[in-house]
Amino acid sequence: MRSYLEFEKPVADLEGKVQELKALSQSGEAVAIDDDVAKLEAKAAQALVDIYAKLTPWQKTQVARHPDRPHAANYIASLIGDWTPLAGDRSFGEDAAILAGLGTFRGRPVAVLGQEKGHDTQSRIKHNFGMARPEGYRKAIRLMDLAERFRLPVISFVDTAGAYPGVDAEERGQAEAIARSTEACLKLTVPNLALVIGEGGSGGAIAVATCNRVYMLEHSIYSVISPEGAASILWKDSAKAQDAATGMKITAQDLMRFGIIDGIVKEPTGGAHRDPDTVMAAAGDMLDSALEELLILSPADVKKARRDKFLAIGRDLKP
Amino acid sequence: MNWINNVVRPKIRSLIYPKKEVPENLWVKCPETGEMVFHRDLEANQWVVPNSGYHMRIAPDKRLELLFDDGAVETIALPGVPQDPLKFRDEKRYTDRLKDAKAKTAREDAVLVGAGRIETTPVVAAVQDFDFMGGSLGMAAGEAIITGVEAAVARATPFILFTASGGARMQEGILSLMQMPRTTVAVEMLREAGLPYIVVLTNPTMGGVTASYAMLGDIQIAEPGALIGFAGPRVIEQTIREKLPEGFQRAEYLLDHGMVDMVVHRHQLRSTLGRLVRLLGPKTAAIPREAADPAPAAPAFAAE
């Protein structure tokens, strides 16, 4: 059963009818409806194209959060061989909101970080809906240290609403853990790559996305605060999330325009969940060619290039 | 009161009647106890309420004057930045908010950088101004911190940062978020130059600021009672749906949880910082190792 977003209702209706007709034809109650089915299917496909041709930032936010959207674990399963998950921060605990491990990517050994939201109630609770606590970021730091020592490029799959806002997270130093993780990214002399696959939520994302190359999926978002959060703080009205999503410029296309990201992975019409394999393969190609470019550089240049890139952000925007 | 006060708009009025030096509120209320303090007494006490010990906000320029020997501040010029890259507006235009903040503080943005000496040791210090849009971290503040660090590196001095901020400046969207890695690059520059980086967390320091440069100091100092954290107390309350523990996210709570090195009363801040920069500063003249601890002519094992 496919789940539809509210703005996809016209498509949902048409595809629903197609299903009904198909069921009827199988039960043998109707004859010669193949033409009708084909017409309806074409109509549904066209409706989807029309809707996705002009998605608003708020609609993109919903696509980015779509429950069926491929998550970090899917990308790892699809792109990483010999996947060997590692656990724990060695000082407090294991945080499943961030997956960390070793594996191979297109034949090369790599270190991988993935913010995982989970796909059903049980796994969402296990992964805390992708919202990491300090131990998640400290595990990420540990993995990056490991990657540095063993010369492994680091690939981050970014998908979080943000770092977890809770008492326990605060008392164990959420802010410090995020800051140190960002610092760990900047210290690497091996290349690191980030791919925002859904939501790039503020500091919780930047902690693992301060990378040589940052890519985004076509309908993913990356923002300093969630549209809902901005609406409730700036407009004092969380119903203004649509306005906030538009005003804050959070889409992949906006970020490309501001020179924040390095590329966009195209999604099929209807979003990544309609054809996950194609999207993940395309993402793999983009990451692979980035690695090819970066692995030519000397270790010192890898670090310097990353640092220069972040220092340059915003400097050539028109006053 | 004459007719002109009632008719002429405030801006014009200020041209006709130059602004008086004396602030309108001569008495200041302690936010904690409600005690009324005469403004001169407060100023004389470094904006610490005499009885309650409450540390009030302090203007950035005053902060530097109190910090440096003889109050001598060499202001470091800061680069200009794009003013409203997103063309953002919420209930108000961002450009208007900026205009208001500039008028209110007579400052271009939320960070002031100055050089001076603390007990003779030269340092560069930056101060965040909470009165400028909540001290929020945007492109200007990020660039100011980078500039301050570059000045410290060029002069080979320690860098001291007084934080006060609600977090990232949302009106600059992703560009404000990018100040987190950008300021962290600045911290890395200090580390590589072997220069001390001391953070003084003042009330309040939250959000993207704590999650970047504010928590990366070699030494972390907090002012008493300062609210310091990542997520705001209200956000956390909404998440966990229960009341927060007493003193949660206060400086003393952070000290208890191992997140800061010390909580220092403002009256002791200058001497504490002076001692720290002496201890961490260049060793060449201060502690001549040979003189203090004469080494043998050759290592013992080489004699055999």
Side-chain angles (χ1 to χ4, degrees):
Chain A
M1 191 54 197
R2 177 170 273 152
S3 42
Y4 293 92
L5 298 167
E6 206 186 310
F7 62 85
E8 293 176 324
K9 192 165 182 305
V11 181
D13 292 347
L14 288 166
E15 288 186 349
K17 272 186 199 145
V18 170
Q19 293 304 323
E20 272 174 39
L21 283 175
K22 279 185 174 166
L24 271 178
S25 98
Q26 269 163 13
S27 64
E29 283 176 31
V31 282
I33 56 167
D34 285 2
D35 270 8
D36 292 344
V37 170
K39 265 185 210 157
L40 270 176
E41 277 180 330
K43 217 173 154 189
Q46 190 55 46
L48 198 65
V49 168
D50 292 347
I51 289 169
Y52 272 75
K54 47 179 181 11
L55 285 185
T56 66
W58 177 241
Q59 288 169 336
K60 277 177 182 281
T61 305
Q62 291 164 274
V63 178
R65 295 170 178 168
H66 196 288
D68 299 340
R69 196 169 174 84
H71 285 165
N74 304 107
Y75 282 82
I76 290 170
S78 159
L79 297 174
I80 306 298
D82 283 341
W83 171 238
T84 308
L86 303 174
D89 69 344
R90 299 297 182 272
S91 44
F92 180 82
E94 155 64 3
D95 185 349
I98 298 182
L99 308 173
L102 306 174
T104 57
F105 172 63
R106 308 262 164 118
R108 284 189 195 92
V110 291
V112 178
L113 294 167
Q115 293 173 322
E116 174 58 44
K117 289 180 168 179
H119 57 274
D120 55 21
T121 307
Q122 205 180 356
S123 65
R124 282 182 192 126
I125 290 168
K126 178 185 166 199
H127 296 289
N128 198 32
F129 301 82
M131 294 188 289
R133 291 182 165 83
E135 38 282 13
Y137 295 107
R138 292 189 177 123
K139 178 171 68 174
I141 295 168
R142 197 169 71 79
L143 187 87
M144 286 188 264
D145 288 347
L146 199 66
E148 175 72 12
R149 280 193 292 127
F150 294 95
R151 309 303 307 159
L152 305 171
V154 181
I155 300 174
S156 292
F157 298 104
V158 179
D159 194 12
T160 181
Y164 182 66
V167 173
D168 57 339
E170 292 289 322
E171 69 187 8
R172 293 196 296 275
Q174 184 72 293
E176 194 259 1
I178 292 170
R180 296 271 174 212
S181 186
T182 309
E183 191 182 22
C185 288
L186 285 165
K187 282 201 290 200
L188 289 173
T189 64
V190 287
N192 61 351
L193 312 171
L195 176 66
V196 181
I197 56 176
E199 278 184 283
S202 193
I206 206 86
V208 296
T210 305
C211 295
N212 286 94
R213 297 275 194 281
V214 182
Y215 300 111
M216 287 176 75
L217 255 61
E218 188 182 352
H219 305 310
S220 62
I221 59 164
Y222 193 0
S223 178
V224 67
I225 184 170
S226 69
E228 293 89 338
S232 81
I233 295 173
L234 295 177
W235 279 266
K236 319 263 183 283
D237 178 3
S238 54
K240 295 279 188 187
Q242 294 203 29
D243 295 342
T246 308
M248 284 199 301
K249 310 278 194 293
I250 60 176
T251 68
Q253 295 71 29
D254 287 326
L255 268 68
M256 193 75 198
R257 195 157 53 81
F258 284 117
I260 310 278
I261 60 166
D262 302 284
I264 296 175
V265 178
K266 219 177 139 27
E267 294 188 35
T269 302
H273 56 283
R274 286 198 174 238
D275 188 359
D277 291 338
T278 306
V279 171
M280 292 190 287
D285 290 346
M286 199 171 261
L287 295 173
D288 190 42
S289 56
L291 269 191
E292 293 282 350
E293 287 168 29
L294 291 164
L295 286 168
I296 304 168
L297 301 179
S298 73
D301 283 349
V302 167
K303 180 176 163 182
K304 185 176 182 301
R306 183 188 308 113
R307 180 192 278 205
D308 290 348
K309 166 196 147 121
F310 278 93
L311 281 181
I313 284 176
R315 279 186 176 165
D316 49 6
L317 292 175
K318 293 219 166 54
Chain B
M1 282 274 158
N2 59 25
W3 66 272
I4 210 164
N5 286 55
N6 301 324
V7 177
V8 180
R9 295 170 61 181
K11 244 188 196 158
I12 304 169
R13 197 189 305 155
S14 69
L15 291 176
I16 299 170
Y17 302 109
K19 235 186 190 165
K20 283 179 249 166
E21 278 298 298
V22 184
E24 294 218 345
N25 293 325
L26 297 178
W27 292 84
V28 182
K29 193 173 170 182
C30 172
E32 209 170 60
T33 59
E35 169 193 357
M36 299 301 284
V37 192
F38 191 56
H39 75 103
R40 286 226 181 87
D41 296 340
L42 199 57
E43 186 169 352
N45 205 36
Q46 304 187 3
W47 285 269
V48 177
V49 178
N51 287 326
S52 68
Y54 184 90
H55 283 53
M56 307 233 359
R57 208 171 291 154
I58 179 167
D61 42 347
K62 295 284 174 202
R63 171 74 80 175
L64 289 184
E65 281 169 28
L66 285 173
L67 180 68
F68 292 151
D69 295 354
D70 309 318
V73 183
E74 176 201 338
T75 305
I76 290 174
L78 302 173
V81 296
Q83 290 294 291
D84 181 17
L86 306 189
K87 309 268 173 277
F88 190 86
R89 71 170 303 160
D90 40 71
E91 286 175 317
K92 215 168 163 182
R93 272 200 203 92
Y94 175 41
T95 47
D96 289 339
R97 285 191 194 276
L98 276 176
K99 219 179 282 168
D100 292 350
K102 286 178 192 192
K104 180 177 160 195
T105 61
R107 212 175 300 290
E108 274 304 295
D109 210 288
V111 174
L112 173 69
V113 183
R117 287 170 179 271
I118 306 177
E119 297 178 345
T120 75
T121 309
V123 303
V124 173
V127 189
Q128 278 184 291
D129 186 355
F130 194 80
D131 284 333
F132 195 107
M133 292 189 72
S136 53
L137 174 64
M139 300 173 82
E143 213 62 76
I145 288 165
I146 293 167
T147 304
V149 164
E150 285 170 343
V153 171
R155 294 159 189 238
T157 70
F159 186 66
I160 300 172
L161 184 43
F162 293 84
T163 64
S165 177
R169 186 169 296 168
M170 287 170 283
Q171 291 87 348
E172 291 184 15
I174 193 75
L175 289 158
S176 75
L177 186 69
M178 289 300 135
Q179 304 315 311
M180 292 173 63
R182 295 183 85 242
T183 52
T184 307
V185 169
V187 174
E188 288 304 295
M189 292 176 185
L190 291 168
R191 307 245 203 269
E192 282 164 19
L195 298 168
Y197 171 43
I198 302 176
V199 176
V200 182
L201 301 155
T202 77
N203 190 39
T205 301
M206 302 296 292
V209 169
T210 37
S212 58
Y213 58 88
M215 278 293 168
L216 292 173
D218 295 310
I219 307 284
Q220 295 282 134
I221 299 174
E223 282 201 330
L227 185 76
I228 303 154
F230 177 64
R234 246 172 307 163
V235 175
I236 299 173
E237 258 176 358
Q238 281 163 14
T239 312
I240 61 169
R241 293 170 200 284
E242 53 187 274
K243 261 200 104 40
L244 295 171
E246 178 75 18
F248 181 65
Q249 292 182 324
R250 294 289 164 186
E252 296 73 14
Y253 175 94
L254 267 84
L255 184 67
D256 282 348
H257 287 85
M259 292 301 149
V260 296
D261 291 290
M262 52 188 105
V263 176
V264 179
H265 191 285
R266 200 173 281 161
H267 291 173
Q268 274 84 53
L269 202 49
R270 184 175 131 82
S271 60
T272 306
L273 288 168
R275 188 168 69 247
L276 284 168
V277 292
R278 251 193 332 272
L279 291 169
L280 295 172
K283 306 293 178 289
T284 43
I287 313 167
R289 185 173 292 171
E290 285 82 356
D293 182 20
F301 63 82
E304 293 179 7

